[in-house]
Amino acid sequence: MKVDAVKGELKSAEIKKTEELLEQWRKELFGLRMNSLTSHVKDYSLFKKLRQNIARALTFLQQKKSAKEVL
């Protein structure tokens, strides 16, 4: 997924949806790590992309929760 698409999806998503995306990306990263231990991974750049998406999701989640507290 492109960076702009990820950012747009995270901005428009509710807190629940953001948490679901975060969990999905964490599972993908875990699976990728397991595959790297047991077999060959074709695209090692996926590690970095998933970690960045997880960080983005955590940032947006924190912003949404803090904005919700202010209201």
Side-chain angles (χ1 to χ4, degrees), residues 18-33:
T18 306
E19 290 172 344
E20 290 172 2
L21 284 171
L22 179 62
E23 187 64 29
Q24 175 188 349
W25 287 328
R26 284 181 172 166
K27 286 181 182 180
E28 286 180 36
L29 183 60
F30 178 76
L32 194 60
R33 284 181 180 149

Side-chain angles (χ1 to χ4, degrees):
M1 212 185 261
K2 298 244 182 210
V3 174
D4 292 335
V6 171
K7 285 183 181 180
E9 186 176 357
L10 288 172
K11 281 183 183 179
S12 64
E14 296 292 326
I15 292 175
K16 182 82 170 165
K17 178 68 174 169
T18 306
E19 290 172 344
E20 290 172 2
L21 284 171
L22 179 62
E23 187 64 29
Q24 175 188 349
W25 287 328
R26 284 181 172 166
K27 286 181 182 180
E28 286 180 36
L29 183 60
F30 178 76
L32 194 60
R33 284 181 180 149
M34 289 299 115
N35 286 340
S36 71
L37 293 175
T38 58
S39 64
H40 180 70
V41 177
K42 288 184 179 182
D43 188 8
Y44 281 95
S45 68
L46 289 177
F47 286 102
K48 182 177 179 180
K49 292 175 185 175
L50 284 171
R51 285 195 312 265
Q52 287 176 338
N53 284 343
I54 290 169
R56 280 187 194 100
L58 288 171
T59 301
F60 277 103
L61 195 60
Q62 185 178 10
Q63 288 174 353
K64 287 179 183 183
K65 286 183 178 179
S66 66
K68 189 175 181 180
E69 290 174 0
V70 171
L71 296 176

